[in-house]
Amino acid sequence: MGRRRSAPKDEDFTFVSPVVKYLLFIFNTIFWTISMVMMSIGVYARVMKHAEAAVACLAVDPALLLLIVGVLMFILTFCGCVGSLRENVCLLQTFCICLTVVFLLQLAVGVLGFVFSDKAQVKVSEIINNAIVHYRDDMDLQNLIDFGQKEFSCCGGISYKDWSQNMYFNCTPENPSRERCSVPYSCCLLPKDEAIVNTMCGQGMQDLDHLQASVFINTSGCIDRLVSWIHDNLFLLGGIALGLAIPQLVGILLSQVLINQITDQIELQNYNVQHRCDPWH
């Protein structure tokens, strides 16, 4: 007679799915790597700056923002990585709660920005004006503003004369700067086939009226162009928002599923220990 096949032992059974566990681990590892790259770029950009420039423009410093986001993402994904690999409920709950808070904050900002669009536009105007003031103080900020003005074919916040807020481009007679009454070269209407960029093409443009200046530079403000671009690209922005939301929702779902599985496994182990020690069962 053949040997009877033995039933599986209770110790071999587990509620924890390896698929969920390692899928969450891989998910967090990817974003953990991205966070380290972001931190590296942020640290490198900060180190390469002059100390005075770093202190002067902390509110709108792209390198600092990149560094802060990288650090927060690193801590969050580290909890997710270790928590999933070690099946640590405390770390997984920390990861799940923090990710849920981040998602809800992003949702709240999006809703409030839509409902209070006028106030949001005023806030954006303040940020752009502050960036104009510190244009020459921070190379990263300068490159960002130049990129924005060229990309949106605009100049200044409301108009090209907003550049008078900058101490180098200020149009008052007392300003000794060689760039007095000028605008950055990124405001200029440059031919696409021009091999050498004339960085002095904005010289004296603030002395001209709107019609005269429009021959040489973009006179429309960047705020109006930005609002128009948002209205024209609502589907694109919706897709980007959805692309940001889906990974967060996946992380929240996977972590919560794994937490429930680990909790069930702990209860099963406690039950087995209790009945193993009870001689009447």
Side-chain angles (χ1 to χ4, degrees):
M1 292 180 64
R3 298 178 59 185
R4 180 176 296 179
R5 192 172 179 180
S6 59
K9 297 180 180 179
D10 291 340
E11 289 79 2
D12 296 333
F13 178 78
T14 177
F15 282 107
V16 179
S17 170
V19 175
V20 175
K21 175 180 176 178
Y22 290 106
L23 193 60
L24 183 60
F25 174 74
I26 294 171
F27 172 86
N28 280 283
T29 302
I30 293 172
F31 286 96
W32 187 57
T33 306
I34 294 174
S35 69
M36 287 193 292
V37 173
M38 293 173 63
M39 286 192 299
S40 300
I41 295 174
V43 169
Y44 175 78
R46 296 291 294 174
V47 169
M48 294 300 292
K49 290 181 180 181
H50 298 293
E52 296 83 4
V55 174
C57 198
L58 293 180
V60 291
D61 186 1
L64 184 66
L65 293 177
L66 193 65
L67 186 58
I68 292 173
V69 173
V71 169
L72 293 177
M73 188 185 295
F74 177 87
I75 296 172
L76 189 59
T77 52
F78 179 79
C79 290
C81 280
V82 177
S84 58
L85 195 61
R86 301 295 298 174
E87 299 181 11
N88 188 302
V89 175
C90 182
L91 288 176
L92 287 173
Q93 286 178 335
T94 301
F95 169 77
C96 185
I97 292 171
C98 290
L99 195 57
T100 303
V101 170
V102 169
F103 175 76
L104 293 177
L105 285 175
Q106 291 174 346
L107 186 62
V109 169
V111 172
L112 291 175
F114 180 78
V115 174
F116 302 102
S117 56
D118 293 338
K119 292 184 178 180
Q121 188 169 335
V122 170
K123 187 62 179 178
V124 170
S125 179
E126 292 176 359
I127 293 173
I128 291 177
N129 289 333
N130 189 34
I132 288 174
V133 171
H134 295 287
Y135 176 76
R136 290 295 190 204
D137 302 336
D138 189 338
M139 186 57 67
D140 286 342
L141 185 64
Q142 181 175 324
N143 292 334
L144 183 63
I145 293 174
D146 287 335
F147 172 79
Q149 291 193 145
K150 287 188 287 187
E151 191 70 20
F152 290 103
S153 299
C154 59
C155 187
I158 304 299
S159 75
Y160 65 101
K161 293 196 176 183
D162 287 342
W163 281 103
S164 192
Q165 299 176 67
N166 185 280
M167 61 183 296
Y168 298 98
F169 299 112
N170 188 277
C171 217
T172 56
E174 296 81 14
N175 185 12
S177 172
R178 294 178 61 184
E179 295 180 306
R180 176 183 171 274
C181 283
S182 301
V183 294
Y185 79 95
S186 54
C187 292
C188 297
L189 299 169
L190 299 174
K192 294 183 178 180
D193 57 348
E194 187 173 358
I196 300 175
V197 177
N198 177 17
T199 56
M200 300 300 292
C201 58
Q203 192 75 26
M205 288 296 132
Q206 293 187 60
D207 278 333
L208 306 179
D209 60 35
H210 188 278
L211 187 61
Q212 291 175 320
S214 63
V215 178
F216 305 101
I217 64 172
N218 296 303
T219 53
S220 299
C222 292
I223 295 175
D224 291 337
R225 288 299 179 99
L226 180 60
V227 171
S228 299
W229 184 87
I230 290 174
H231 289 163
D232 294 339
N233 295 273
L234 288 176
F235 285 108
L236 175 62
L237 294 174
I240 294 173
L242 189 63
L244 292 173
I246 288 176
Q248 296 177 46
L249 291 174
V250 169
I252 294 169
L253 178 63
L254 288 175
S255 59
Q256 191 58 52
V257 169
L258 188 57
I259 289 171
N260 292 338
Q261 291 178 348
I262 295 172
T263 303
D264 290 340
Q265 182 64 23
I266 292 172
E267 291 178 356
L268 176 63
Q269 290 173 349
N270 292 336
Y271 176 84
N272 290 336
V273 169
Q274 179 183 354
H275 284 263
R276 191 180 297 116
C277 297
D278 190 349
W280 297 101
H281 289 82

